Amino acid sequence: MPFVRTQAEHFSQSMVHCRRDFHQHPEMGWTEFRTASLVAERLDSLGWQVHIGSEVVDSASRMGLPDEDVLETCWQRAKQEGAPEFWLDRVRGGFTGVVGILDCGPGPTLAMRFDMDALGVQESLDDAHRPTREGFASQHDGVMHACGHDAHTSVGLAVAEALYALKDDLHGQIRLVFQPAEEGVRGALSMVKAGVLDGVDYFVGHHVTTSRACKEMIAGMGGWTATQKFDVFFRGEPAHAGGNPQGGHNALLAAAAAVTGLYAIPRHSDGPTRVNVGQLFAGTGRNVIPDRAQMLCEVRGVDTELCAYMYEKALCVVAAAADMYGCSAEVKEMGSAPSASSSPELAERVVSLAAQAMPYIAFFPAVASGGSEDATYMMRAVQESKGQAVMIGIGADYAIADYPGAAEKPPLAAHTSTFDINEGAMVEALDLLCNLALDLLA
């Protein structure tokens, strides 16, 4: 265990360099072409078996896939930004998953998941924002790593190098799962359907969080709401708004009726539910009966069953609203995630191990955030096959770091233009994950 700590500290600067490179070149879900190619190249150079692209991503199960022209534009950008072409060719078209496998003889199988995608957020150009001040802010307009996935990927590559050095002390198989499209909960299901989690005995995921300080952790994260993301496309008939209004079928009115109907879905006595229409686009001109409309929607439930209840009701509302105005409605699923909880035995094992190997770490109980996380697909796949799964929160706020006035500042909230992390958290994540691998595969 002291060797692991030494290794983790040894990787500190390389993880920072790696994280800042990914931060400068953020890529949205299913367009992580540069990131995935660099990950594959690094795993291959370390001696891991590399599986990539359609080997680990089920095409039919991808949700919220961008248009082909967007995919190709982002692929060309990755090529220009130095993505290794051998691997880049294998992820073309939005197959941006990577799995590294290390076989260490007979024993259990451990999977660790690291998400790679960024968000559609414009990074702050204020000099008070450290990435801007220190020159590693996003170089892609309207896209940034505002949730810490750049750090997750960097930790995953350091884990690969550290565990390869420790392979003689391991017994079993390790799978490092680099997942695309976590944002919008679009990517994990496709990797589950591709069989990436088949035969896994232990699943471990982690996520940096600025709700806790560096050297603070949360074991046994859970309480995520199940969610279904969907887009609705209404189609009607155009007509002259003054001269022939009766000749049209108003898609905008159908969408408006659907909005009010969705918010009127009866809530359920078994637990909390949510619905939201985030965007509505409609029409072509001031004097034209709108013949098209699009809504971006989501429903959530405290568990998978309540989410399914909300989605079923939502589909009824959409169909009825379209019929009311003589329109058609097409519903396209854009993302989903079930509810899940960490396995208590594995969560307790994490805390017990850390008490021995990292006694300076403080653990806190998990608190339900109301958000969603598609690692739940992976957790449930393992648990339903009699395995165990855990998600660990890694504190990454500056509150106890050596920054003037840091303790008085509020945490830097995720999914905002000023999000940043205490990069020392990556050392703690690496230390814990390597010790956990040694413990589970002893």
Side-chain angles (χ1 to χ4, degrees):
M1 289 177 180
F3 173 71
V4 171
R5 183 65 191 181
T6 301
Q7 286 281 84
E9 292 174 347
H10 169 74
F11 286 117
S12 175
Q13 289 305 308
S14 63
M15 283 191 292
V16 168
H17 174 80
C18 187
R19 181 251 168 170
R20 293 187 176 194
D21 176 68
F22 289 140
H23 194 90
Q24 285 183 289
H25 304 93
E27 297 172 300
M28 298 274 283
W30 302 123
T31 70
E32 306 95 329
F33 299 115
R34 180 182 185 273
T35 306
S37 299
L38 289 172
V39 165
E41 182 179 60
R42 183 61 178 150
L43 292 174
D44 182 60
S45 71
L46 290 170
W48 289 68
Q49 300 172 36
V50 178
H51 299 267
I52 189 170
S54 58
E55 294 179 90
V56 295
V57 174
D58 178 62
S59 178
S61 302
R62 293 178 297 173
M63 292 181 283
L65 191 69
D67 293 339
E68 288 186 10
D69 58 339
V70 173
L71 291 172
E72 185 61 19
T73 297
C74 292
W75 188 88
Q76 292 291 345
R77 181 184 66 191
K79 187 175 182 179
Q80 294 169 5
E81 292 180 346
E85 291 194 26
F86 175 78
W87 301 106
L88 186 60
D89 287 338
R90 299 176 67 179
V91 295
R92 196 169 194 165
F95 291 91
T96 45
V98 184
V99 177
I101 296 179
L102 184 64
D103 280 313
C104 304
T109 297
L110 166 65
M112 294 184 176
R113 177 266 208 165
F114 309 92
D115 43 11
M116 302 184 291
D117 57 325
L119 284 151
V121 175
Q122 177 63 50
E123 185 152 18
S124 171
L125 299 178
D126 193 319
D127 199 51
H129 180 52
R130 186 178 62 135
T132 297
R133 183 174 66 252
E134 297 187 11
F136 65 94
S138 170
Q139 296 179 4
H140 299 164
D141 287 343
V143 184
M144 75 169 284
H145 275 291
C147 199
H149 298 185
D150 49 350
H152 300 167
T153 306
S154 303
V155 168
L157 293 177
V159 166
E161 185 169 355
L163 290 184
Y164 193 85
L166 296 167
K167 65 182 184 298
D168 291 341
D169 297 314
L170 301 169
H171 303 276
Q173 184 184 92
I174 304 173
R175 300 179 196 173
L176 302 184
V177 180
F178 291 85
Q179 182 205 314
E182 189 283 325
E183 300 296 352
V185 290
R186 297 176 289 155
L189 178 62
S190 69
M191 300 195 84
V192 171
K193 292 292 187 181
V196 168
L197 280 300
D198 290 357
V200 169
D201 300 289
Y202 301 105
F203 172 85
V204 178
H206 83 286
H207 204 298
V208 294
T209 173
T210 55
S211 67
R212 302 250 56 105
C214 189
K215 294 185 172 63
E216 295 179 347
M217 294 187 185
I218 303 166
M221 292 176 70
W224 297 286
T225 57
T227 185
Q228 179 69 58
K229 322 291 188 187
F230 59 100
D231 290 356
V232 183
F233 301 86
F234 292 96
R235 294 291 182 266
E237 289 290 337
H240 194 289
N244 188 34
Q246 74 281 2
H249 296 285
N250 198 316
L252 172 56
L253 287 181
V259 170
T260 56
L262 288 169
Y263 283 100
I265 294 174
R267 295 303 182 255
H268 204 289
S269 61
D270 286 350
T273 55
R274 301 282 188 272
V275 62
N276 191 57
V277 180
Q279 288 184 294
L280 170 59
F281 312 93
T284 56
R286 186 188 304 276
N287 61 348
V288 181
I289 299 296
D291 69 329
R292 66 194 66 181
Q294 180 183 357
M295 301 193 312
L296 280 60
C297 316
E298 67 170 21
V299 293
R300 300 181 192 243
V302 71
D303 58 35
T304 305
E305 292 71 27
L306 288 177
C307 181
Y309 160 80
M310 290 295 291
Y311 188 49
E312 180 183 353
K313 294 294 185 185
L315 294 179
C316 291
V317 166
V318 167
D323 187 60
M324 187 187 312
Y325 289 95
C327 298
S328 65
E330 176 191 357
V331 178
K332 183 178 180 181
E333 294 185 2
M334 300 300 290
S336 68
S339 57
S341 297
S342 293
S343 304
E345 313 95 294
L346 188 53
E348 291 169 9
R349 191 166 180 172
V350 170
V351 176
S352 176
L353 171 69
Q356 301 174 55
M358 307 168 70
Y360 49 85
I361 294 293
F363 275 92
F364 292 81
V367 177
S369 68
S372 302
E373 160 66 75
D374 74 349
T376 52
Y377 274 119
M378 299 183 178
M379 296 172 70
R380 289 170 72 105
V382 172
Q383 291 167 334
E384 289 167 4
S385 298
K386 310 304 180 184
Q388 298 177 33
V390 69
M391 279 289 287
I392 305 167
I394 307 292
D397 189 50
Y398 290 104
I400 61 172
D402 187 20
Y403 286 86
E408 289 75 39
K409 295 179 180 178
L412 298 171
H415 294 211
T416 65
S417 63
T418 57
F419 179 78
D420 191 18
I421 64 164
N422 183 333
E423 291 170 323
M426 294 190 289
V427 173
E428 311 308 336
L430 175 61
D431 195 354
L432 181 64
L433 294 177
C434 288
N435 270 303
L436 190 53
L438 284 168
D439 184 57
L440 294 172
L441 305 185

